Amino acid sequence: MTRDLRMRWLTPALALLLAVGLSACNSFTPNTIFGAHSEFGHSVDVLTRRLLYLGILVFILVEALLVFILVKFRDKDGTREAQQIHGNTTLEIGWTLVPAVILAFIAVPTIKTIFKTQAQAVPNALQVEVIGHQWWWEFRYPQYGITTANELYLPVGRTANFALTTKDVLHSFWIPQLNGKRDLISNHTNYIWFTPDSSFAWNGFCAEYCGTSHANMRFKVFTVTPAEFDAWAAHQKTNAVGTAPAPAPGDSTKPAAPPVLTVATSTGATTPAAKDAKPPVATPVMTVSDTSSATYPRSKLPEWVIPKTPTPVSLTFDPNAEGDASRGATLFKTAPCIACHTVRGVPTAAGIVGPNLTHVGSRTTIAGGLYPNDVKHLELWIKNAPAMKPGSLMPLFGKAEKGETPGLYTDQQIADLAAYLSSLK
Ligand code: CUA
């Protein structure tokens, strides 16, 4: 190869390498597995790095030996032909023992990590039941009597123990920076536990192919201070705002006022294990004060938490339809919605097939994390869910829409329903 030719290849190759290298440290990647924020994540991180570094060491040694032999014993004038041999006891013992030692270096920490992360959770852990559905997540907090969907709240510094099951096919529960993946299996409960070390909003995913909308089965995790968690839990236990029946005359018990938080927290290292934990990049400071629903404030959400999924172009909505929440509430009581959804405080709405909608208005996303939760997206979702999410088990409700089932409602009625659901904070 001439010097010119060599330079012609070398320059672009180095530029490419530099570009790839720099892009890796360019921005905050919320879904990376490097940068753990729980003791579970740290165990996996330590193991991954050890295996990676050992692998690099073995690679360099093997390649160096290979290159050395290729150069040293290359064909030269006057060299004799290589001698053909077979059966060399020393060599055979060597290439059996060396890999065995390498495997021992991998096996010992791997097995230790498996035992550590499969052990039972501490007895006072926060219990969360995770139930997989095609294609959304049901979360129950049995110690608090709460059922919610697609959004988890966890207190920083307290171990959360998740009991994983599924209503249909296999799914897998995964929050890249908090835990490893663990499968949801029918007729068998799997467990996983971890202790979040800082306040933040995290993305969660289904990590096992489970059908058409597997990629659209996402969830959010909000790690908050214990005080904020208690306020959230207390509010979740109440009936949705606006659904509580008016107190009877002479009844002295007033409906519970929604809690108002004025706690301002910084990213907190509150556990001993979290002492040297680095705070996540782009950490918002949580100031729960405005909201009556004690939820993670939307204004503080990192931008990547809100999905930007485009809606189908063929699906349109009457721009003149102004939703009215009280009309929507009346319609909802007898609408087919109640066959699948529960809204605590509405006696007729007790379905358990779909997500519990008691506080749906306070969630950040709808449709298994596929769309942002706002009136516009809710309207389109009710109008034609199967068009919004491939394979959706929720049927369409738009009167003019074409699908497996005939639609029932005009855009005006759907706008009313959406206004009502949005008001359920
Ligand atoms: Cu559920 Cu993939």
Side-chain angles (χ1 to χ4, degrees):
M1 209 187 270
T2 65
R3 203 186 128 79
D4 268 5
L5 195 63
R6 227 178 288 154
M7 287 311 287
R8 205 188 295 164
W9 282 101
L10 200 62
T11 314
L14 280 178
L16 184 71
L17 199 68
L18 195 68
V20 170
L22 286 180
S23 69
C25 43
N26 170 33
S27 59
F28 174 57
T29 41
N31 304 331
T32 178
I33 57 160
F34 299 103
H37 282 280
S38 71
E39 79 285 57
F40 188 114
H42 282 296
S43 307
V44 176
D45 205 33
V46 167
L47 182 64
T48 308
R49 282 170 202 275
R50 178 178 295 193
L51 298 191
L52 189 68
Y53 298 149
L54 282 176
I56 290 172
L57 186 69
V58 170
F59 175 81
I60 290 173
L61 287 178
V62 170
E63 292 306 306
L65 196 63
L66 180 68
V67 171
F68 171 75
I69 289 168
L70 285 177
V71 173
K72 174 140 175 95
F73 300 106
R74 70 187 186 278
D75 188 23
K76 285 175 291 203
D77 285 342
T79 46
R80 61 186 171 82
E81 202 166 299
Q83 189 194 343
Q84 303 298 317
I85 56 157
H86 61 89
N88 184 317
T89 314
T90 317
L91 274 179
E92 281 167 18
I93 290 175
W95 66 56
T96 306
L97 274 185
V98 172
V101 171
I102 294 173
L103 281 180
F105 269 96
I106 295 173
V108 171
T110 302
I111 291 169
K112 261 171 82 176
T113 307
I114 290 173
F115 274 91
K116 193 173 159 191
T117 55
Q118 292 277 353
Q120 276 197 355
V122 289
N124 65 343
L126 170 71
Q127 305 293 331
V128 185
E129 295 169 6
V130 178
I131 301 153
H133 297 259
Q134 282 177 315
W135 288 273
W136 59 281
W137 299 88
E138 181 175 349
F139 299 122
R140 295 186 191 161
Y141 295 71
Q143 294 150 319
Y144 293 82
I146 295 169
T147 302
T148 182
N150 303 324
E151 251 170 46
L152 272 175
Y153 276 74
L154 302 174
V156 170
R158 181 173 175 195
T159 302
N161 184 31
F162 300 88
L164 315 168
T165 53
T166 172
K167 269 278 180 302
D168 36 55
V169 299
L170 284 182
H171 304 276
S172 186
F173 178 74
W174 187 38
I175 311 148
Q177 296 194 39
L178 295 177
N179 71 326
K181 300 164 185 169
R182 198 152 291 171
D183 284 0
L184 282 65
I185 303 168
S186 51
N187 301 325
H188 172 81
T189 305
N190 266 346
Y191 291 90
I192 194 168
W193 54 263
F194 58 81
T195 316
D197 70 15
S198 43
S199 284
F200 205 46
W202 316 89
N203 284 334
F205 302 92
C206 177
E208 172 84 43
Y209 182 71
C210 55
T212 315
S213 264
H214 155 68
N216 304 325
M217 185 171 169
R218 314 169 195 172
F219 60 101
K220 303 290 166 205
V221 185
F222 301 105
T223 45
V224 295
T225 64
E228 286 158 352
F229 176 80
D230 288 343
W232 173 82
H235 179 64
Q236 289 290 310
K237 254 192 101 121
T238 62
N239 290 347
V241 172
T243 55
D251 186 352
S252 60
T253 54
K254 293 192 190 118
V260 175
L261 279 190
T262 48
V263 199
T265 75
S266 60
T267 295
T270 57
T271 52
K275 244 183 284 163
D276 33 54
K278 272 183 256 133
V281 186
T283 305
V285 173
M286 185 172 171
T287 46
V288 187
S289 56
D290 58 315
T291 166
S292 60
S293 49
T295 50
Y296 207 90
R298 288 195 188 194
S299 54
K300 305 286 177 198
L301 288 174
E303 53 89 23
W304 45 262
V305 168
I306 302 298
K308 297 176 187 72
T309 318
T311 55
V313 263
S314 56
L315 187 58
T316 55
F317 203 82
D318 178 4
N320 298 319
E322 264 309 313
D324 178 282
S326 61
R327 272 204 311 261
T330 311
L331 180 58
F332 183 81
K333 276 182 210 152
T334 55
C337 318
I338 59 176
C340 296
H341 297 286
T342 293
V343 173
R344 209 171 333 101
V346 180
T348 54
I352 52 165
V353 178
N356 184 308
L357 299 181
T358 304
H359 294 281
V360 65
S362 62
R363 296 178 196 152
T364 49
T365 61
I366 56 166
L370 188 54
Y371 295 101
N373 184 11
D374 53 41
V375 173
K376 289 290 144 224
H377 283 91
L378 259 178
E379 287 171 346
L380 293 177
W381 175 251
I382 299 168
K383 186 166 182 177
N384 195 338
M388 292 279 277
K389 184 173 182 176
S392 162
L393 297 184
M394 171 157 151
L396 62 84
F397 285 97
K399 216 166 196 166
E401 298 296 300
K402 301 226 166 16
E404 279 175 31
T405 52
L408 286 174
Y409 297 129
T410 61
D411 281 6
Q412 182 54 59
Q413 288 171 306
I414 290 173
D416 293 342
L417 283 172
Y420 165 64
L421 292 173
S422 287
S423 76
L424 299 178
K425 304 275 185 190

